[in-house]
Amino acid sequence: MATAAGKSPNESRPNSDLEDDIRQLKVDIQKLTEQLAETGQHGYGAARRVAAEGVEQLRAQGEAAFENVRSNARDIEAQVVASVREKPVTSLAIAAGVGFLFALLARR
């Protein structure tokens, strides 16, 4: 039982099934592409949030370290001022000695 095209009805059926499968595969590929794009956007957003949190944390740590150094410098300054007030002659002698050493080094 041949048709006008020379194919039996059973031979045209597998081609139709194959075409349907190909259409379904194209739809599935399109859905997967959309899902991957969405996942990529979520991943980018999450990475950006983590990076922003890391930058904020580093900034806070840097500010804390700067304040710690500033506080230590103030303490040292206060100790030097107190030492100069307690022993002005000794402080003057030390300053003169350091100045003399710098003068010797600068001369060479």
Side-chain angles (χ1 to χ4, degrees):
M1 297 192 201
T3 60
K7 296 181 181 177
S8 67
N10 291 338
E11 289 178 3
S12 65
R13 188 74 174 144
N15 286 339
S16 176
D17 289 343
L18 185 59
E19 289 173 1
D20 290 342
D21 289 345
I22 290 173
R23 274 189 226 104
Q24 186 60 42
L25 281 173
K26 286 181 180 180
V27 169
D28 291 345
I29 289 172
Q30 179 63 32
K31 287 180 183 177
L32 282 173
T33 303
E34 291 170 0
Q35 288 176 350
L36 285 174
E38 186 176 319
T39 301
Q41 289 173 354
H42 289 306
Y44 173 75
R48 188 172 179 160
R49 279 192 303 275
V50 168
E53 289 171 2
V55 166
E56 181 63 28
Q57 188 176 33
L58 287 175
R59 185 188 62 75
Q61 288 175 352
E63 287 178 357
F66 180 74
E67 286 301 319
N68 190 19
V69 168
R70 180 181 274 175
S71 175
N72 288 343
R74 286 181 190 146
D75 291 344
I76 291 171
E77 179 186 9
Q79 289 174 356
V80 169
V81 167
S83 176
V84 168
R85 286 190 179 156
E86 287 177 11
K87 300 178 184 178
V89 175
T90 305
S91 300
L92 183 62
I94 290 173
V98 170
F100 181 73
L101 287 175
F102 279 138
L104 285 177
L105 292 174
R107 193 180 254 189
R108 293 181 186 204

